[in-house]
Amino acid sequence: MVKANLTVISNFIFLGFTRYPKVEVIIFVLCLLMYLITLLGNIILMSITILDSHLHKPMYFFLSNLSFLDIWYTSSALTPMLTNFVSGKNTISFSGCATQMYFSLAMGSTECVLLSTMAYDRYVAICNPLRYPIIMNKRACVQIAAGSWMTGCLTALVETVSVLQLSVCGSGIINHFTCEILAVLKLVCVDTSRVQLIMLVISVLLLPMPMLLICVSYAFILSSILRISSVDGGSKAFSTCAAHLTVVVLFYGTALSMYLKPSAVDSQEIDKFMALVYAGLTPMLNPIIYSLRNKEVKVAVKKLLNRNPLCAFLIPQSKS
């Protein structure tokens, strides 16, 4: 058994989905489609929130942050896998692995916090509409967004540095398609209890607590809407809340099943498919569920298409 410091290893090797040769190509095509749709949807959303002054509101400020975040999140997780599949090389340098691990953790952690702040923003807007302009003023929105980014980046830095200081045994073969922290930890042959405790504390703070805040916020939102809306309005509100909560459950549920499962449970193969859900599927669904179904966003898209003949020619407009 060869023992070495993690920083001594110059290259890591990904196993990826090579154990499933019959579906590897299908997985590649699906991941490529998810990545392209994620880029397109989030770039469109960011563009219209910047160009249309009617969307210069706290809700769309947070949504544009989420779009920017999802572009980086998906790129850090899926781009290396897609590149390796095309090139036929499943290796990554130590510095590349460390960078990928940090960005994936930072973007994922930031999204955990940002989704909860977005739910709080909607709660204040619907349940306390008169106080909304005061509570969610421009300065408060910038501070909340900055706090979300700082929390995600700092917790990711703590986790990444903690892991990179450990020693590994044998070759640097990672049973994953990315430098996911749990997969890298499986290479370690020294006591990891301190790192696991750090990860447990961070995971509890960033996963079940924000998810509980989101569920409570939407419960109050739905209750408030049902008291003042008609049957049709209540049905529409329930549909919107259900769609939002579906994406939330997908994102937090898969992350919870990975980072808070018992250490005795070894499900690395399942974890790879779980990672595809929260790193590929949910970033693709976010702009669709949160924004493109929104009436204000649809109006902004139509106005943009009408101002730009080329866009109007390339993208058929829906009938009113």
Side-chain angles (χ1 to χ4, degrees):
M1 183 179 292
V2 180
K3 182 177 177 180
N5 189 276
L6 192 58
T7 56
V8 174
I9 296 179
S10 58
N11 289 288
F12 291 96
I13 302 172
F14 293 129
L15 286 184
F17 296 97
T18 54
R19 293 183 179 179
Y20 310 97
K22 294 183 180 180
V23 297
E24 193 174 13
V25 176
I26 297 175
I27 293 173
F28 168 79
V29 173
L30 289 176
C31 288
L32 180 60
L33 286 175
M34 285 192 297
Y35 182 58
L36 293 177
I37 294 172
T38 299
L39 287 181
L40 179 62
N42 285 294
I43 289 173
I44 289 174
L45 179 57
M46 289 175 61
S47 300
I48 60 176
T49 54
I50 293 172
L51 296 174
D52 196 318
S53 59
H54 294 93
L55 299 183
H56 293 176
K57 303 175 182 178
M59 173 183 174
Y60 299 104
F61 171 74
F62 290 123
L63 283 173
S64 60
N65 269 267
L66 181 64
S67 293
F68 181 75
L69 172 68
D70 281 339
I71 291 173
W72 278 96
Y73 189 21
T74 309
S75 297
S76 65
L78 296 187
T79 303
M81 183 193 73
L82 297 173
T83 304
N84 289 339
F85 184 88
V86 173
S87 65
K89 298 179 181 179
N90 291 327
T91 60
I92 188 171
S93 65
F94 167 79
S95 59
C97 185
T99 302
Q100 187 183 82
M101 184 191 302
Y102 171 75
F103 273 102
S104 294
L105 285 170
M107 299 301 105
S109 300
T110 303
E111 182 153 346
C112 289
V113 182
L114 190 60
L115 287 174
S116 64
T117 61
M118 289 168 57
Y120 174 73
D121 170 72
R122 291 298 83 207
Y123 161 75
V124 176
I126 295 172
C127 299
N128 296 282
L130 297 179
R131 297 183 60 196
Y132 180 68
I134 300 173
I135 297 174
M136 301 302 293
N137 57 69
K138 184 176 181 180
R139 182 178 179 182
C141 291
V142 172
Q143 290 176 340
I144 290 172
S148 300
W149 282 93
M150 287 179 62
T151 301
C153 292
L154 289 176
T155 54
L157 182 62
V158 171
E159 291 180 296
T160 303
V161 171
S162 299
V163 171
L164 295 180
Q165 291 177 343
L166 301 177
S167 300
V168 298
C169 298
S171 59
I173 299 178
I174 301 176
N175 186 16
H176 212 284
F177 61 85
T178 183
C179 282
E180 203 274 327
I181 190 169
L182 294 177
V184 175
L185 269 179
K186 292 185 181 296
L187 306 179
V188 175
C189 58
V190 296
D191 182 32
T192 61
S193 57
R194 184 177 66 88
V195 176
Q196 289 179 347
L197 178 61
I198 291 173
M199 291 180 59
L200 176 62
V201 172
I202 292 176
S203 297
V204 169
L205 291 174
L206 296 181
L207 290 171
M209 291 181 65
M211 185 176 180
L212 179 61
L213 176 61
I214 292 171
C215 292
V216 171
S217 297
Y218 274 102
F220 280 111
I221 289 171
L222 191 57
S223 175
S224 178
I225 292 176
L226 290 177
R227 285 199 303 268
I228 60 176
S229 298
S230 61
V231 175
D232 291 338
S235 177
K236 185 177 180 181
F238 181 81
S239 174
T240 301
C241 289
H244 288 189
L245 288 175
T246 299
V247 178
V248 167
V249 169
L250 276 175
F251 179 76
Y252 286 99
T254 51
L256 280 167
S257 67
M258 286 183 59
Y259 291 99
L260 290 180
K261 68 176 182 292
S263 58
V265 178
D266 186 9
S267 57
Q268 191 62 40
E269 298 304 315
I270 298 176
D271 285 353
K272 285 189 279 190
F273 288 97
M274 290 287 192
L276 287 178
V277 173
Y278 69 73
L281 182 60
T282 53
M284 179 188 74
L285 293 177
N286 279 339
I288 299 172
I289 298 297
Y290 282 104
S291 308
L292 299 182
R293 296 170 74 245
N294 185 290
K295 184 181 293 185
E296 286 184 316
V297 174
K298 290 180 180 178
V299 171
V301 170
K302 287 183 179 180
K303 287 167 61 179
L304 180 63
L305 294 177
N306 289 332
R307 287 201 303 263
N308 193 325
L310 179 60
C311 290
F313 175 76
L314 295 175
I315 307 175
Q317 300 182 46
S318 57
K319 295 182 180 180
S320 307

PDB file of all heavy atoms in Angstrom, residues 112-143:
ATOM      1  N   CYS A 112     -27.901  26.676  -2.410  1.00  0.00           N
ATOM      2  CA  CYS A 112     -28.692  26.274  -1.243  1.00  0.00           C
ATOM      3  C   CYS A 112     -29.183  27.496  -0.475  1.00  0.00           C
ATOM      4  O   CYS A 112     -30.349  27.560  -0.062  1.00  0.00           O
ATOM      5  CB  CYS A 112     -27.850  25.390  -0.315  1.00  0.00           C
ATOM      6  SG  CYS A 112     -27.516  23.737  -0.951  1.00  0.00           S
ATOM      7  N   VAL A 113     -28.303  28.465  -0.268  1.00  0.00           N
ATOM      8  CA  VAL A 113     -28.667  29.671   0.480  1.00  0.00           C
ATOM      9  C   VAL A 113     -29.549  30.585  -0.361  1.00  0.00           C
ATOM     10  O   VAL A 113     -30.546  31.138   0.119  1.00  0.00           O
ATOM     11  CB  VAL A 113     -27.401  30.432   0.942  1.00  0.00           C
ATOM     12  CG1 VAL A 113     -27.782  31.660   1.768  1.00  0.00           C
ATOM     13  CG2 VAL A 113     -26.488  29.511   1.753  1.00  0.00           C
ATOM     14  N   LEU A 114     -29.207  30.731  -1.642  1.00  0.00           N
ATOM     15  CA  LEU A 114     -29.929  31.660  -2.507  1.00  0.00           C
ATOM     16  C   LEU A 114     -31.385  31.239  -2.712  1.00  0.00           C
ATOM     17  O   LEU A 114     -32.285  32.091  -2.736  1.00  0.00           O
ATOM     18  CB  LEU A 114     -29.214  31.767  -3.857  1.00  0.00           C
ATOM     19  CG  LEU A 114     -29.686  32.875  -4.798  1.00  0.00           C
ATOM     20  CD1 LEU A 114     -29.514  34.243  -4.153  1.00  0.00           C
ATOM     21  CD2 LEU A 114     -28.896  32.827  -6.107  1.00  0.00           C
ATOM     22  N   LEU A 115     -31.638  29.948  -2.853  1.00  0.00           N
ATOM     23  CA  LEU A 115     -33.014  29.475  -3.029  1.00  0.00           C
ATOM     24  C   LEU A 115     -33.869  29.807  -1.806  1.00  0.00           C
ATOM     25  O   LEU A 115     -35.051  30.147  -1.941  1.00  0.00           O
ATOM     26  CB  LEU A 115     -33.021  27.963  -3.287  1.00  0.00           C
ATOM     27  CG  LEU A 115     -32.536  27.509  -4.666  1.00  0.00           C
ATOM     28  CD1 LEU A 115     -32.468  25.982  -4.725  1.00  0.00           C
ATOM     29  CD2 LEU A 115     -33.451  28.026  -5.770  1.00  0.00           C
ATOM     30  N   SER A 116     -33.271  29.713  -0.619  1.00  0.00           N
ATOM     31  CA  SER A 116     -34.034  30.036   0.592  1.00  0.00           C
ATOM     32  C   SER A 116     -34.312  31.537   0.680  1.00  0.00           C
ATOM     33  O   SER A 116     -35.391  31.953   1.127  1.00  0.00           O
ATOM     34  CB  SER A 116     -33.275  29.559   1.836  1.00  0.00           C
ATOM     35  OG  SER A 116     -32.051  30.235   1.983  1.00  0.00           O
ATOM     36  N   THR A 117     -33.358  32.370   0.260  1.00  0.00           N
ATOM     37  CA  THR A 117     -33.596  33.823   0.267  1.00  0.00           C
ATOM     38  C   THR A 117     -34.659  34.215  -0.756  1.00  0.00           C
ATOM     39  O   THR A 117     -35.437  35.147  -0.520  1.00  0.00           O
ATOM     40  CB  THR A 117     -32.298  34.596  -0.013  1.00  0.00           C
ATOM     41  OG1 THR A 117     -31.798  34.249  -1.313  1.00  0.00           O
ATOM     42  CG2 THR A 117     -31.235  34.277   1.021  1.00  0.00           C
ATOM     43  N   MET A 118     -34.703  33.503  -1.881  1.00  0.00           N
ATOM     44  CA  MET A 118     -35.734  33.768  -2.881  1.00  0.00           C
ATOM     45  C   MET A 118     -37.115  33.420  -2.342  1.00  0.00           C
ATOM     46  O   MET A 118     -38.095  34.133  -2.594  1.00  0.00           O
ATOM     47  CB  MET A 118     -35.439  32.976  -4.161  1.00  0.00           C
ATOM     48  CG  MET A 118     -34.241  33.494  -4.946  1.00  0.00           C
ATOM     49  SD  MET A 118     -33.714  32.360  -6.251  1.00  0.00           S
ATOM     50  CE  MET A 118     -35.213  32.205  -7.206  1.00  0.00           C
ATOM     51  N   ALA A 119     -37.206  32.326  -1.585  1.00  0.00           N
ATOM     52  CA  ALA A 119     -38.480  31.949  -0.978  1.00  0.00           C
ATOM     53  C   ALA A 119     -38.907  32.996   0.056  1.00  0.00           C
ATOM     54  O   ALA A 119     -40.092  33.347   0.148  1.00  0.00           O
ATOM     55  CB  ALA A 119     -38.357  30.573  -0.324  1.00  0.00           C
ATOM     56  N   TYR A 120     -37.944  33.502   0.807  1.00  0.00           N
ATOM     57  CA  TYR A 120     -38.245  34.544   1.798  1.00  0.00           C
ATOM     58  C   TYR A 120     -38.720  35.817   1.101  1.00  0.00           C
ATOM     59  O   TYR A 120     -39.666  36.483   1.567  1.00  0.00           O
ATOM     60  CB  TYR A 120     -37.014  34.841   2.642  1.00  0.00           C
ATOM     61  CG  TYR A 120     -37.205  35.997   3.596  1.00  0.00           C
ATOM     62  CD1 TYR A 120     -38.008  35.856   4.732  1.00  0.00           C
ATOM     63  CD2 TYR A 120     -36.607  37.232   3.353  1.00  0.00           C
ATOM     64  CE1 TYR A 120     -38.190  36.928   5.604  1.00  0.00           C
ATOM     65  CE2 TYR A 120     -36.787  38.302   4.225  1.00  0.00           C
ATOM     66  CZ  TYR A 120     -37.579  38.141   5.345  1.00  0.00           C
ATOM     67  OH  TYR A 120     -37.764  39.205   6.210  1.00  0.00           O
ATOM     68  N   ASP A 121     -38.093  36.157  -0.021  1.00  0.00           N
ATOM     69  CA  ASP A 121     -38.503  37.334  -0.793  1.00  0.00           C
ATOM     70  C   ASP A 121     -39.954  37.216  -1.238  1.00  0.00           C
ATOM     71  O   ASP A 121     -40.732  38.166  -1.137  1.00  0.00           O
ATOM     72  CB  ASP A 121     -37.585  37.495  -2.004  1.00  0.00           C
ATOM     73  CG  ASP A 121     -38.099  38.541  -2.977  1.00  0.00           C
ATOM     74  OD1 ASP A 121     -38.028  39.738  -2.654  1.00  0.00           O
ATOM     75  OD2 ASP A 121     -38.590  38.149  -4.062  1.00  0.00           O
ATOM     76  N   ARG A 122     -40.351  36.040  -1.720  1.00  0.00           N
ATOM     77  CA  ARG A 122     -41.736  35.824  -2.147  1.00  0.00           C
ATOM     78  C   ARG A 122     -42.692  35.855  -0.961  1.00  0.00           C
ATOM     79  O   ARG A 122     -43.828  36.337  -1.070  1.00  0.00           O
ATOM     80  CB  ARG A 122     -41.856  34.484  -2.893  1.00  0.00           C
ATOM     81  CG  ARG A 122     -41.181  34.432  -4.246  1.00  0.00           C
ATOM     82  CD  ARG A 122     -41.768  35.427  -5.233  1.00  0.00           C
ATOM     83  NE  ARG A 122     -41.202  36.771  -5.070  1.00  0.00           N
ATOM     84  CZ  ARG A 122     -41.827  37.894  -5.396  1.00  0.00           C
ATOM     85  NH1 ARG A 122     -43.036  37.862  -5.878  1.00  0.00           N
ATOM     86  NH2 ARG A 122     -41.245  39.070  -5.234  1.00  0.00           N
ATOM     87  N   TYR A 123     -42.233  35.337   0.174  1.00  0.00           N
ATOM     88  CA  TYR A 123     -43.074  35.358   1.379  1.00  0.00           C
ATOM     89  C   TYR A 123     -43.374  36.798   1.796  1.00  0.00           C
ATOM     90  O   TYR A 123     -44.524  37.152   2.086  1.00  0.00           O
ATOM     91  CB  TYR A 123     -42.367  34.613   2.515  1.00  0.00           C
ATOM     92  CG  TYR A 123     -42.904  34.954   3.886  1.00  0.00           C
ATOM     93  CD1 TYR A 123     -44.129  34.441   4.314  1.00  0.00           C
ATOM     94  CD2 TYR A 123     -42.189  35.801   4.732  1.00  0.00           C
ATOM     95  CE1 TYR A 123     -44.632  34.776   5.564  1.00  0.00           C
ATOM     96  CE2 TYR A 123     -42.683  36.132   5.991  1.00  0.00           C
ATOM     97  CZ  TYR A 123     -43.903  35.624   6.405  1.00  0.00           C
ATOM     98  OH  TYR A 123     -44.395  35.950   7.632  1.00  0.00           O
ATOM     99  N   VAL A 124     -42.355  37.640   1.816  1.00  0.00           N
ATOM    100  CA  VAL A 124     -42.541  39.041   2.211  1.00  0.00           C
ATOM    101  C   VAL A 124     -43.434  39.757   1.197  1.00  0.00           C
ATOM    102  O   VAL A 124     -44.330  40.528   1.562  1.00  0.00           O
ATOM    103  CB  VAL A 124     -41.191  39.767   2.341  1.00  0.00           C
ATOM    104  CG1 VAL A 124     -41.396  41.247   2.658  1.00  0.00           C
ATOM    105  CG2 VAL A 124     -40.331  39.121   3.414  1.00  0.00           C
ATOM    106  N   ALA A 125     -43.212  39.505  -0.096  1.00  0.00           N
ATOM    107  CA  ALA A 125     -43.974  40.184  -1.145  1.00  0.00           C
ATOM    108  C   ALA A 125     -45.462  39.849  -1.086  1.00  0.00           C
ATOM    109  O   ALA A 125     -46.310  40.718  -1.323  1.00  0.00           O
ATOM    110  CB  ALA A 125     -43.412  39.810  -2.513  1.00  0.00           C
ATOM    111  N   ILE A 126     -45.786  38.605  -0.765  1.00  0.00           N
ATOM    112  CA  ILE A 126     -47.184  38.164  -0.800  1.00  0.00           C
ATOM    113  C   ILE A 126     -47.868  38.311   0.558  1.00  0.00           C
ATOM    114  O   ILE A 126     -49.032  38.725   0.632  1.00  0.00           O
ATOM    115  CB  ILE A 126     -47.264  36.697  -1.288  1.00  0.00           C
ATOM    116  CG1 ILE A 126     -46.789  36.618  -2.748  1.00  0.00           C
ATOM    117  CG2 ILE A 126     -48.678  36.147  -1.168  1.00  0.00           C
ATOM    118  CD1 ILE A 126     -46.632  35.227  -3.287  1.00  0.00           C
ATOM    119  N   CYS A 127     -47.161  38.005   1.626  1.00  0.00           N
ATOM    120  CA  CYS A 127     -47.768  38.020   2.962  1.00  0.00           C
ATOM    121  C   CYS A 127     -47.643  39.374   3.662  1.00  0.00           C
ATOM    122  O   CYS A 127     -48.409  39.670   4.578  1.00  0.00           O
ATOM    123  CB  CYS A 127     -47.155  36.920   3.831  1.00  0.00           C
ATOM    124  SG  CYS A 127     -47.403  35.250   3.171  1.00  0.00           S
ATOM    125  N   ASN A 128     -46.657  40.180   3.252  1.00  0.00           N
ATOM    126  CA  ASN A 128     -46.490  41.522   3.823  1.00  0.00           C
ATOM    127  C   ASN A 128     -46.254  42.546   2.711  1.00  0.00           C
ATOM    128  O   ASN A 128     -45.207  43.196   2.658  1.00  0.00           O
ATOM    129  CB  ASN A 128     -45.315  41.547   4.804  1.00  0.00           C
ATOM    130  CG  ASN A 128     -45.546  40.668   6.013  1.00  0.00           C
ATOM    131  OD1 ASN A 128     -46.270  41.033   6.921  1.00  0.00           O
ATOM    132  ND2 ASN A 128     -44.928  39.502   6.013  1.00  0.00           N
ATOM    133  N   PRO A 129     -47.228  42.697   1.806  1.00  0.00           N
ATOM    134  CA  PRO A 129     -47.006  43.541   0.617  1.00  0.00           C
ATOM    135  C   PRO A 129     -46.743  45.009   0.934  1.00  0.00           C
ATOM    136  O   PRO A 129     -45.992  45.670   0.212  1.00  0.00           O
ATOM    137  CB  PRO A 129     -48.311  43.372  -0.179  1.00  0.00           C
ATOM    138  CG  PRO A 129     -49.332  42.939   0.828  1.00  0.00           C
ATOM    139  CD  PRO A 129     -48.584  42.117   1.826  1.00  0.00           C
ATOM    140  N   LEU A 130     -47.362  45.556   2.006  1.00  0.00           N
ATOM    141  CA  LEU A 130     -47.170  46.971   2.330  1.00  0.00           C
ATOM    142  C   LEU A 130     -45.759  47.255   2.841  1.00  0.00           C
ATOM    143  O   LEU A 130     -45.212  48.339   2.619  1.00  0.00           O
ATOM    144  CB  LEU A 130     -48.196  47.415   3.374  1.00  0.00           C
ATOM    145  CG  LEU A 130     -49.673  47.333   2.929  1.00  0.00           C
ATOM    146  CD1 LEU A 130     -50.591  47.781   4.058  1.00  0.00           C
ATOM    147  CD2 LEU A 130     -49.908  48.178   1.677  1.00  0.00           C
ATOM    148  N   ARG A 131     -45.170  46.286   3.515  1.00  0.00           N
ATOM    149  CA  ARG A 131     -43.821  46.464   4.058  1.00  0.00           C
ATOM    150  C   ARG A 131     -42.734  45.973   3.105  1.00  0.00           C
ATOM    151  O   ARG A 131     -41.552  46.154   3.375  1.00  0.00           O
ATOM    152  CB  ARG A 131     -43.707  45.717   5.397  1.00  0.00           C
ATOM    153  CG  ARG A 131     -44.641  46.231   6.481  1.00  0.00           C
ATOM    154  CD  ARG A 131     -44.402  45.480   7.779  1.00  0.00           C
ATOM    155  NE  ARG A 131     -43.028  45.649   8.245  1.00  0.00           N
ATOM    156  CZ  ARG A 131     -42.460  44.886   9.165  1.00  0.00           C
ATOM    157  NH1 ARG A 131     -43.143  43.884   9.698  1.00  0.00           N
ATOM    158  NH2 ARG A 131     -41.216  45.116   9.538  1.00  0.00           N
ATOM    159  N   TYR A 132     -43.165  45.365   2.007  1.00  0.00           N
ATOM    160  CA  TYR A 132     -42.198  44.759   1.082  1.00  0.00           C
ATOM    161  C   TYR A 132     -41.162  45.749   0.556  1.00  0.00           C
ATOM    162  O   TYR A 132     -39.952  45.454   0.577  1.00  0.00           O
ATOM    163  CB  TYR A 132     -42.943  44.088  -0.073  1.00  0.00           C
ATOM    164  CG  TYR A 132     -42.035  43.430  -1.090  1.00  0.00           C
ATOM    165  CD1 TYR A 132     -41.292  42.297  -0.762  1.00  0.00           C
ATOM    166  CD2 TYR A 132     -41.919  43.939  -2.385  1.00  0.00           C
ATOM    167  CE1 TYR A 132     -40.468  41.685  -1.690  1.00  0.00           C
ATOM    168  CE2 TYR A 132     -41.099  43.345  -3.315  1.00  0.00           C
ATOM    169  CZ  TYR A 132     -40.377  42.212  -2.963  1.00  0.00           C
ATOM    170  OH  TYR A 132     -39.548  41.618  -3.879  1.00  0.00           O
ATOM    171  N   PRO A 133     -41.559  46.942   0.070  1.00  0.00           N
ATOM    172  CA  PRO A 133     -40.544  47.888  -0.443  1.00  0.00           C
ATOM    173  C   PRO A 133     -39.539  48.321   0.616  1.00  0.00           C
ATOM    174  O   PRO A 133     -38.394  48.668   0.291  1.00  0.00           O
ATOM    175  CB  PRO A 133     -41.383  49.073  -0.935  1.00  0.00           C
ATOM    176  CG  PRO A 133     -42.749  48.523  -1.145  1.00  0.00           C
ATOM    177  CD  PRO A 133     -42.917  47.472  -0.097  1.00  0.00           C
ATOM    178  N   ILE A 134     -39.969  48.322   1.876  1.00  0.00           N
ATOM    179  CA  ILE A 134     -39.075  48.738   2.950  1.00  0.00           C
ATOM    180  C   ILE A 134     -38.118  47.608   3.332  1.00  0.00           C
ATOM    181  O   ILE A 134     -36.904  47.810   3.472  1.00  0.00           O
ATOM    182  CB  ILE A 134     -39.891  49.176   4.193  1.00  0.00           C
ATOM    183  CG1 ILE A 134     -40.808  50.347   3.838  1.00  0.00           C
ATOM    184  CG2 ILE A 134     -38.965  49.541   5.347  1.00  0.00           C
ATOM    185  CD1 ILE A 134     -41.765  50.728   4.948  1.00  0.00           C
ATOM    186  N   ILE A 135     -38.678  46.391   3.471  1.00  0.00           N
ATOM    187  CA  ILE A 135     -37.859  45.247   3.892  1.00  0.00           C
ATOM    188  C   ILE A 135     -36.877  44.841   2.791  1.00  0.00           C
ATOM    189  O   ILE A 135     -35.682  44.645   3.040  1.00  0.00           O
ATOM    190  CB  ILE A 135     -38.759  44.052   4.268  1.00  0.00           C
ATOM    191  CG1 ILE A 135     -39.630  44.411   5.475  1.00  0.00           C
ATOM    192  CG2 ILE A 135     -37.906  42.814   4.582  1.00  0.00           C
ATOM    193  CD1 ILE A 135     -40.646  43.352   5.829  1.00  0.00           C
ATOM    194  N   MET A 136     -37.385  44.712   1.575  1.00  0.00           N
ATOM    195  CA  MET A 136     -36.548  44.243   0.456  1.00  0.00           C
ATOM    196  C   MET A 136     -36.123  45.432  -0.406  1.00  0.00           C
ATOM    197  O   MET A 136     -36.361  45.464  -1.617  1.00  0.00           O
ATOM    198  CB  MET A 136     -37.298  43.208  -0.375  1.00  0.00           C
ATOM    199  CG  MET A 136     -37.739  41.983   0.409  1.00  0.00           C
ATOM    200  SD  MET A 136     -36.369  41.102   1.207  1.00  0.00           S
ATOM    201  CE  MET A 136     -35.496  40.484  -0.223  1.00  0.00           C
ATOM    202  N   ASN A 137     -35.492  46.429   0.204  1.00  0.00           N
ATOM    203  CA  ASN A 137     -34.972  47.545  -0.576  1.00  0.00           C
ATOM    204  C   ASN A 137     -33.699  47.134  -1.313  1.00  0.00           C
ATOM    205  O   ASN A 137     -33.178  46.029  -1.110  1.00  0.00           O
ATOM    206  CB  ASN A 137     -34.712  48.749   0.334  1.00  0.00           C
ATOM    207  CG  ASN A 137     -33.757  48.415   1.470  1.00  0.00           C
ATOM    208  OD1 ASN A 137     -32.570  48.180   1.253  1.00  0.00           O
ATOM    209  ND2 ASN A 137     -34.278  48.372   2.698  1.00  0.00           N
ATOM    210  N   LYS A 138     -33.217  48.031  -2.158  1.00  0.00           N
ATOM    211  CA  LYS A 138     -32.077  47.698  -3.010  1.00  0.00           C
ATOM    212  C   LYS A 138     -30.848  47.287  -2.197  1.00  0.00           C
ATOM    213  O   LYS A 138     -30.171  46.306  -2.514  1.00  0.00           O
ATOM    214  CB  LYS A 138     -31.740  48.896  -3.912  1.00  0.00           C
ATOM    215  CG  LYS A 138     -30.634  48.608  -4.909  1.00  0.00           C
ATOM    216  CD  LYS A 138     -30.413  49.803  -5.828  1.00  0.00           C
ATOM    217  CE  LYS A 138     -29.319  49.500  -6.851  1.00  0.00           C
ATOM    218  NZ  LYS A 138     -29.091  50.657  -7.763  1.00  0.00           N
ATOM    219  N   ARG A 139     -30.573  48.031  -1.136  1.00  0.00           N
ATOM    220  CA  ARG A 139     -29.405  47.731  -0.306  1.00  0.00           C
ATOM    221  C   ARG A 139     -29.537  46.366   0.357  1.00  0.00           C
ATOM    222  O   ARG A 139     -28.577  45.585   0.394  1.00  0.00           O
ATOM    223  CB  ARG A 139     -29.243  48.814   0.762  1.00  0.00           C
ATOM    224  CG  ARG A 139     -28.029  48.617   1.655  1.00  0.00           C
ATOM    225  CD  ARG A 139     -27.906  49.743   2.658  1.00  0.00           C
ATOM    226  NE  ARG A 139     -26.760  49.554   3.538  1.00  0.00           N
ATOM    227  CZ  ARG A 139     -26.438  50.378   4.536  1.00  0.00           C
ATOM    228  NH1 ARG A 139     -27.173  51.464   4.744  1.00  0.00           N
ATOM    229  NH2 ARG A 139     -25.398  50.120   5.288  1.00  0.00           N
ATOM    230  N   ALA A 140     -30.738  46.062   0.857  1.00  0.00           N
ATOM    231  CA  ALA A 140     -30.966  44.776   1.514  1.00  0.00           C
ATOM    232  C   ALA A 140     -30.793  43.621   0.526  1.00  0.00           C
ATOM    233  O   ALA A 140     -30.208  42.582   0.857  1.00  0.00           O
ATOM    234  CB  ALA A 140     -32.362  44.738   2.129  1.00  0.00           C
ATOM    235  N   CYS A 141     -31.288  43.795  -0.696  1.00  0.00           N
ATOM    236  CA  CYS A 141     -31.168  42.748  -1.719  1.00  0.00           C
ATOM    237  C   CYS A 141     -29.707  42.470  -2.054  1.00  0.00           C
ATOM    238  O   CYS A 141     -29.290  41.310  -2.170  1.00  0.00           O
ATOM    239  CB  CYS A 141     -31.925  43.158  -2.976  1.00  0.00           C
ATOM    240  SG  CYS A 141     -33.720  43.176  -2.781  1.00  0.00           S
ATOM    241  N   VAL A 142     -28.932  43.533  -2.219  1.00  0.00           N
ATOM    242  CA  VAL A 142     -27.501  43.364  -2.527  1.00  0.00           C
ATOM    243  C   VAL A 142     -26.795  42.673  -1.373  1.00  0.00           C
ATOM    244  O   VAL A 142     -25.965  41.765  -1.585  1.00  0.00           O
ATOM    245  CB  VAL A 142     -26.852  44.729  -2.826  1.00  0.00           C
ATOM    246  CG1 VAL A 142     -25.333  44.581  -2.944  1.00  0.00           C
ATOM    247  CG2 VAL A 142     -27.430  45.325  -4.107  1.00  0.00           C
ATOM    248  N   GLN A 143     -27.121  43.054  -0.142  1.00  0.00           N
ATOM    249  CA  GLN A 143     -26.498  42.434   1.026  1.00  0.00           C
ATOM    250  C   GLN A 143     -26.869  40.959   1.144  1.00  0.00           C
ATOM    251  O   GLN A 143     -26.022  40.117   1.465  1.00  0.00           O
ATOM    252  CB  GLN A 143     -26.904  43.188   2.291  1.00  0.00           C
ATOM    253  CG  GLN A 143     -26.291  44.572   2.415  1.00  0.00           C
ATOM    254  CD  GLN A 143     -26.797  45.324   3.636  1.00  0.00           C
ATOM    255  OE1 GLN A 143     -27.853  45.008   4.198  1.00  0.00           O
ATOM    256  NE2 GLN A 143     -26.052  46.345   4.060  1.00  0.00           N
TER     257      GLN A 143
END
